[in-house]
Amino acid sequence: ILKELTLSGGVTILVASGDNGAAGTEEACLPADDPLVGNQYTTWPVISPWVTAVGGTQFLDGPDEAVSSSSTGADGCTSGGGFAGPSYPAELYSTPAWQKKAVRRYLAENNATTFAAFPTAATPGWNPAGRAYPDISMYGAGIGLLNVEDPDDMKYSSGTSFSTPFLAAFFSLANEALLRDGYEVIGYA
């Protein structure tokens, strides 16, 4: 049913990629003895082929935008990313054709030689043949949260749970413009 709605109903489903780095390996977010640290297992629905996975970005010094990371000041949030694990059925969760070129480039530029902590074939759950995520990223760091009971109490937070609704707003505006000009909505993105 989800597949039919997504493809024929013009529905875009956006899912946050998570805030614990690549499959929960960001030690600033998880204690070192957490069972997720050191493996690459991913969770559903972010790896579903029927959703658009949304990662988070932040601004560094000046106009440079990068993946949000707790190591560069994103308030304990490192944008999630990775590949669907080997336990998911390959016919649904392998790298889709539209991701293959980007995945090949990513793997050519990133490996155990270029980054010592990069996963290898021996890393539990590492599956570079799986569906990659996120599909797209949006700003989501240092977002001001106003306490309506105390307007002087401003807090700041970060996370892909901010990035996802921000991107949904952009999609809504784009769909509005498309419909106004006689086109169909974005739908399955």
Side-chain angles (χ1 to χ4, degrees):
I1 293 173
L2 179 60
K3 177 181 175 182
E4 290 173 13
L5 277 175
T6 305
L7 295 177
S8 66
V11 176
T12 304
I13 301 172
L14 302 173
V15 176
S17 70
D19 299 338
N20 293 328
T25 60
E26 175 59 49
E27 291 185 36
C29 299
L30 296 172
D33 60 350
D34 190 290
L36 286 177
V37 173
N39 76 46
Q40 294 295 309
Y41 289 104
T42 52
T43 58
W44 200 88
V46 73
I47 57 149
S48 169
W50 308 115
V51 305
T52 299
V54 182
T57 65
Q58 71 180 86
F59 287 107
L60 302 176
D61 293 332
D64 296 330
E65 190 172 8
V67 172
S68 62
S69 174
S70 58
S71 65
T72 53
D75 302 320
C77 165
T78 297
S79 183
F83 297 95
S87 61
Y88 293 97
E91 64 274 8
L92 285 177
Y93 296 97
S94 62
T95 307
W98 48 269
Q99 285 186 340
K100 288 189 182 212
K101 182 178 177 183
V103 167
R104 274 193 306 271
R105 179 178 171 200
Y106 171 79
L107 293 173
E109 295 174 0
N110 300 278
N111 51 57
T113 303
T114 59
F115 178 55
F118 200 81
T120 65
T123 305
W126 173 243
N127 182 29
R131 181 231 195 280
Y133 74 97
D135 297 300
I136 190 169
S137 294
M138 181 74 178
Y139 185 78
I143 307 301
L145 304 172
L146 179 64
N147 180 346
V148 294
E149 294 176 9
D150 182 4
D152 294 327
D153 183 22
M154 178 73 82
K155 297 192 184 321
Y156 295 88
S157 189
S158 300
T160 57
S161 292
F162 291 109
S163 305
T164 305
F166 289 165
L167 189 63
F170 276 97
F171 273 57
S172 293
L173 292 170
N175 283 336
E176 182 180 310
L178 288 167
L179 289 172
R180 182 188 62 235
D181 294 341
Y183 298 100
E184 292 185 18
V185 295
I186 295 168
Y188 179 59

